[in-house]
Amino acid sequence: MNLFEQKRCKAMAEEIAQKVFINHELFNAFCQVPREIFSPLKAHAYRLDALPLANSQWISSPLTVAKMTMALDFKNADSVLEVGCGSGYQAAILSRVIRRVFTIERIEKLAKSASETFRTLGFSNINVRFDDGQLGWPNYAPYDRILFSAYATSIPEILLDQLADGGILVAPIFHNEKQYITKITKNGLKLKKEILDECLFVPILDGKE
């Protein structure tokens, strides 16, 4: 990043920190990832708004990215699986705070674009897969953390099976006509569910395109 981009990233991180709690590690992550490279709307990239992408997809608001990431309790996590890569911004933020990131995207155009962006940035710890994210990525399971970047009505059992014991899954879940950031902690056969905050995501869809 050049000096101008660094200043814009830091200013955005400071604005996020004024509105929601983020720890030092996540603050630094926002400072290290130039949001404009993930958005076609360069002039608006550092506003705290969701922005449109191709294929009726969106890049989440930085505030939502902050809330979702903090909900993961990522400090002791070594691996994370993201369902719904989109432009790759959430995965890029995760890659600054978790050692190994595995992200799945069902739209081939977006998966290829995100991979190229990660290479441009030199973010070598992000692995991208073009597939139906609801199937997970069994090859590298179990994952310490799983994050959904699209809303679901329920969590597929196959993904819960890929979550490590003691692991945390964070997803926007549709309930009573609204979406809520929901944190699920796995302890053996038991799942502890916490509803954290209202949110707005595109729905998770079946198959690939």
Side-chain angles (χ1 to χ4, degrees):
M1 286 192 293
N2 59 40
L3 186 59
F4 180 63
E5 288 171 334
Q6 290 173 13
K7 287 181 177 179
R8 294 186 78 188
C9 285
K10 187 178 180 186
M12 186 185 72
E14 289 170 345
E15 191 176 357
I16 292 167
Q18 289 171 4
K19 296 181 180 296
V20 298
F21 172 74
I22 55 175
N23 59 20
H24 181 69
E25 290 83 1
L26 186 53
F27 183 93
N28 285 341
F30 279 112
C31 291
Q32 293 166 22
V33 179
R35 191 170 184 246
E36 64 187 79
I37 198 172
F38 295 94
S39 171
L41 300 177
K42 308 298 182 189
H44 302 287
Y46 294 98
R47 291 170 54 176
L48 302 189
D49 298 319
L51 299 172
L53 298 169
N55 299 84
S56 301
Q57 301 298 300
W58 290 76
I59 175 173
S60 294
S61 157
L63 288 175
T64 301
V65 172
K67 292 174 184 178
M68 297 283 285
T69 307
M70 286 300 296
L72 287 173
D73 292 343
F74 56 80
K75 277 197 172 184
N76 296 316
D78 179 74
S79 64
V80 58
L81 172 68
E82 181 193 27
V83 177
C85 180
S87 70
Y89 184 66
Q90 173 72 78
I93 293 294
L94 291 172
S95 76
R96 303 302 89 190
V97 296
I98 297 179
R99 190 173 72 89
R100 296 181 298 145
V101 178
F102 301 87
T103 181
I104 309 173
E105 174 54 53
R106 63 178 293 275
I107 299 171
E108 187 173 18
K109 179 181 177 181
L110 291 178
K112 287 182 175 178
S113 177
S115 294
E116 290 169 6
T117 302
F118 299 146
R119 281 194 293 271
T120 298
L121 291 172
F123 289 5
S124 59
N125 63 329
I126 308 175
N127 306 277
V128 182
R129 179 183 179 93
F130 167 53
D131 205 349
D132 183 340
Q134 295 176 92
L135 303 175
W137 198 338
N139 308 50
Y140 301 98
Y143 301 97
D144 298 320
R145 303 290 185 266
I146 296 177
L147 183 143
F148 275 57
S149 289
Y151 83 79
T153 53
S154 61
I155 305 300
E157 198 69 34
I158 192 171
L159 283 170
L160 291 171
D161 289 343
Q162 292 177 36
L163 182 64
D165 191 21
I168 294 170
L169 183 151
V170 173
I173 295 182
F174 190 75
H175 179 67
N176 288 340
E177 303 302 317
K178 292 184 179 180
Q179 300 174 32
Y180 297 94
I181 297 173
T182 306
K183 176 180 178 179
I184 297 172
T185 305
K186 181 178 180 179
N187 289 305
L189 298 176
K190 294 183 178 180
L191 298 173
K192 177 188 175 185
K193 184 184 292 187
E194 299 173 67
I195 296 174
L196 302 179
D197 204 355
E198 196 172 330
C199 59
L200 189 61
F201 282 82
V202 296
I204 194 164
L205 298 173
D206 297 331
K208 301 185 289 184
E209 64 178 67

